[in-house]
Amino acid sequence: MSESQTVTKEVTLGGKVFSLETGRFAKQADGAVMVRYADTMVLATVVSAPEPTEGKDFFPLQVEYREKTAAAGKIPGGFFKREGRPTEKEILSSRLIDRPIRPMFSKQYRNETQILVTVYSSDMQHDGDILGACAASAALMVSDVPFDGPIAEVRIGRIDGSFVVNPTFSELDRSDIDLTVAGTEDSIVMVEGESKEISEADMLSALKAGHEAIKILCAAQRDLARDVSKAKRKVEASVLPDGLLDAVRSRAESRLKELSRTVLTKEQRSAQTNQVYDEVSASLAESYPEQEALIHELMHDIEKGAMRMTILTEGKRLDGRGTADIRPITCEIGLLPRTHGSALFTRGETQSLTTATLGTKMDEQLIDGLLPETTKRFMLHYNFPPFSVGETGRVGSPGRREIGHGNLAERSLKRLVPDEQTFPYTLRVVSDILESNGSSSMATVCPWHVRWRGSRWDS
């Protein structure tokens, strides 16, 4: 493709044209694709550093989703009249894009990579989040960045028993399913959503409908990349020094296998595992100088394999439970005397202290964004302080993880809140994670329920 050539691919999805265009916008980025669906347009750009980041043992990927209020013909509220820090909606949408894309990169690729997704036009009927995921994947496909894609993402609703691909906001109001599905041509890689009570068969049918649409979008991205025809960067495979893997295995494998079969607390396991790492590294320091990071990486792979085989071959997990056993669970209520409701949920080494607060209609949260202003009367906030995993760390505003986990818990519970006529209150639930060694977002869901007892609120 010449620098000035524009390439466009169009497919029909949900009765509307879904188009991908490259070559017109942001030509100095490594890859850029504008997606249009109805009158919503989303631009995704990709830039990746030419050289890997030294000293990092992970892929430094940054995914940011932003909504321009001008896209819906609005001027931002507030004093400054310009977009500021990302809203909760933008953070959640960034996570929706990040999760299916991140696993599609080689483990050896360590170049700093930034994906920026921006909504430039909004018809206020189609959400830009799923379009952004498709645009990001397409931008990676037309770039020289090594990416084992494509992936695509769709939203599935069900109205009067019929599945709808990428329903409008008004259609979602009438739908009993709101499901976001991301995947490749061969498999589904991410599912998130909410619904009224539906059967497993209905859920599987919704996933199948979503995957059929995903295949169409992935094929369009492949056609786009084929016409652009840009060569991909080569990823340099890690070359192990001669004999290092065997040396690490001979010293660490049997010890790590034994640890995987030994019932220990989280702190004990961490201490004994660190001891193995330190002793093996020290024994190889003279023969393989300046290779400590690589030695630790090899031991991590051996440790992971040992744990996996213990589960698969012996049916035992790290704490001695079988695959069908659950951790001991305790629930306590009314611990905090001056809150409207409180509960302490403990499952194994995971613990959530949850409070519930009732307010009036004046306490509803005002939601401002591309859509007309709305309010929210049920809020669930999740906090994950560093002491919950025995660590020190920065304490500040909620991070993406806290916002994302809180939203997942909120979506699972909000349909259980009585309507405003039956229950004329604003309700805020706060989950503080005091310990974590398992799913703390699911621990958040369990103790939330607050009900009226006599003349007071209790948990």
Side-chain angles (χ1 to χ4, degrees):
M1 182 187 76
S2 65
E3 290 187 5
S4 60
Q5 182 181 356
T6 299
V7 180
T8 303
K9 295 296 174 183
E10 295 182 348
V11 295
T12 301
L13 201 69
K16 304 180 183 74
V17 174
F18 190 109
S19 72
L20 304 104
E21 179 184 326
T22 189
R24 178 183 296 184
F25 305 97
K27 293 187 287 292
Q28 293 190 53
D30 292 330
V33 170
M34 179 74 83
V35 162
R36 178 170 182 168
Y37 191 67
D39 282 343
T40 296
M41 298 177 67
V42 181
L43 176 68
T45 61
V46 175
V47 175
S48 189
E51 300 294 334
T53 305
E54 295 295 332
K56 288 190 176 179
D57 59 354
F58 62 93
F59 175 38
L61 172 66
Q62 179 187 9
V63 179
E64 299 288 346
Y65 171 93
R66 294 291 188 273
E67 295 176 338
K68 300 288 188 181
T69 56
K74 297 178 65 176
I75 294 175
F79 182 79
F80 293 104
K81 298 301 178 186
R82 69 176 299 168
E83 291 83 3
R85 59 173 295 178
T87 64
E88 185 172 300
K89 165 65 168 63
E90 290 170 319
I91 291 171
L92 295 172
S93 297
S94 297
R95 285 168 57 86
L96 277 180
I97 298 169
D98 187 305
R99 287 205 302 270
I101 282 177
R102 188 175 292 270
M104 309 304 289
F105 290 89
S106 167
K107 288 180 65 176
Q108 280 73 44
Y109 193 66
R110 304 286 172 81
N111 301 40
E112 187 170 354
T113 302
Q114 185 179 59
I115 301 173
L116 300 183
V117 181
T118 309
V119 180
Y120 280 105
S121 176
S122 173
D123 59 14
M124 304 180 75
Q125 281 298 314
H126 298 90
D127 203 329
D129 53 4
I130 55 173
L131 306 184
C134 297
S137 173
L140 287 162
M141 291 294 292
V142 301
S143 74
D144 64 345
V145 179
F147 175 66
D148 190 20
I151 64 98
E153 193 167 291
V154 296
R155 181 168 280 109
I156 298 294
R158 187 175 66 171
I159 301 173
D160 299 328
S162 298
F163 291 113
V164 180
V165 178
N166 291 348
T168 63
F169 290 120
S170 57
E171 287 173 330
L172 278 176
D173 289 338
R174 297 184 287 120
S175 173
D176 61 351
I177 294 176
D178 180 359
L179 195 67
T180 301
V181 187
T184 67
E185 292 154 306
D186 302 321
S187 62
I188 292 173
V189 298
M190 186 201 73
V191 178
E192 181 179 302
E194 61 189 73
S195 70
K196 297 180 180 177
E197 292 188 6
I198 61 174
S199 66
E200 289 187 14
D202 289 343
M203 177 59 76
L204 290 174
S205 296
L207 293 175
K208 183 177 180 180
H211 196 221
E212 291 303 315
I214 284 169
K215 292 177 183 178
I216 296 171
L217 293 172
C218 285
Q221 292 181 51
R222 286 198 183 277
D223 290 343
L224 187 74
R226 190 178 301 114
D227 287 353
V228 172
S229 187
K230 182 180 286 189
K232 294 290 186 181
R233 306 179 193 180
K234 292 184 178 180
V235 180
E236 298 294 333
S238 300
V239 179
L240 295 177
D242 290 341
L244 177 59
L245 179 58
D246 290 338
V248 172
R249 278 179 173 164
S250 65
R251 290 166 171 78
E253 190 167 36
S254 61
R255 297 176 66 181
L256 292 174
K257 282 183 177 179
E258 184 61 31
L259 277 175
S260 73
R261 299 186 180 97
T262 305
V263 178
L264 299 168
T265 65
K266 183 178 178 180
E267 293 78 9
Q268 290 171 334
R269 184 173 304 282
S270 178
Q272 294 192 30
T273 301
N274 288 339
Q275 183 179 354
V276 174
Y277 275 49
D278 292 342
E279 290 177 0
V280 171
S281 297
S283 68
L284 295 172
E286 185 175 347
S287 302
Y288 299 95
E290 299 182 1
Q291 297 292 339
E292 184 177 7
L294 182 56
I295 292 170
H296 280 207
E297 186 176 335
L298 292 174
M299 281 193 284
H300 178 269
D301 291 341
I302 293 171
E303 181 185 3
K304 178 181 176 181
M307 292 178 180
R308 186 171 187 272
M309 292 310 297
T310 300
I311 295 170
L312 294 179
T313 60
E314 301 177 21
K316 292 292 184 183
R317 292 186 273 187
L318 290 178
D319 58 2
R321 289 178 297 139
T323 53
D325 299 330
I326 61 173
R327 298 177 180 92
I329 294 175
T330 59
C331 300
E332 303 172 65
I333 60 173
L335 281 77
L336 307 177
R338 300 305 294 266
T339 62
H340 291 166
S342 62
L344 182 67
F345 175 87
T346 307
R347 185 193 66 239
E349 295 178 304
T350 298
Q351 188 177 72
S352 168
L353 177 61
T354 301
T355 60
T357 306
L358 295 173
T360 67
K361 190 172 181 61
M362 295 291 292
D363 294 309
E364 290 182 347
Q365 182 180 5
L366 182 66
I367 307 296
D368 187 24
L370 292 183
L371 299 178
E373 286 186 355
T374 57
T375 58
K376 188 165 73 169
R377 55 185 288 265
F378 174 58
M379 297 160 280
L380 192 151
H381 297 147
Y382 164 102
N383 298 310
F384 193 88
F387 67 76
S388 65
V389 287
E391 297 177 356
T392 60
R394 184 186 65 86
V395 177
S397 58
R400 282 191 178 189
R401 182 184 186 278
E402 291 174 299
I403 290 173
H405 281 226
N407 179 257
L408 287 173
E410 180 181 301
R411 295 182 76 179
S412 70
L413 296 171
K414 70 179 185 181
R415 291 180 184 263
L416 302 177
V417 178
D419 60 46
E420 197 166 0
Q421 287 70 37
T422 306
F423 185 78
Y425 298 94
T426 298
L427 174 60
R428 180 181 184 235
V429 176
V430 178
S431 171
D432 289 301
I433 304 304
L434 305 186
E435 292 184 66
S436 181
N437 188 19
S439 176
S440 53
S441 58
M442 292 302 95
T444 294
V445 171
C446 297
W448 83 282
H449 186 56
V450 178
R451 61 186 180 272
W452 180 259
R453 285 184 176 175
S455 59
R456 66 188 180 91
W457 286 94
D458 205 349
S459 300

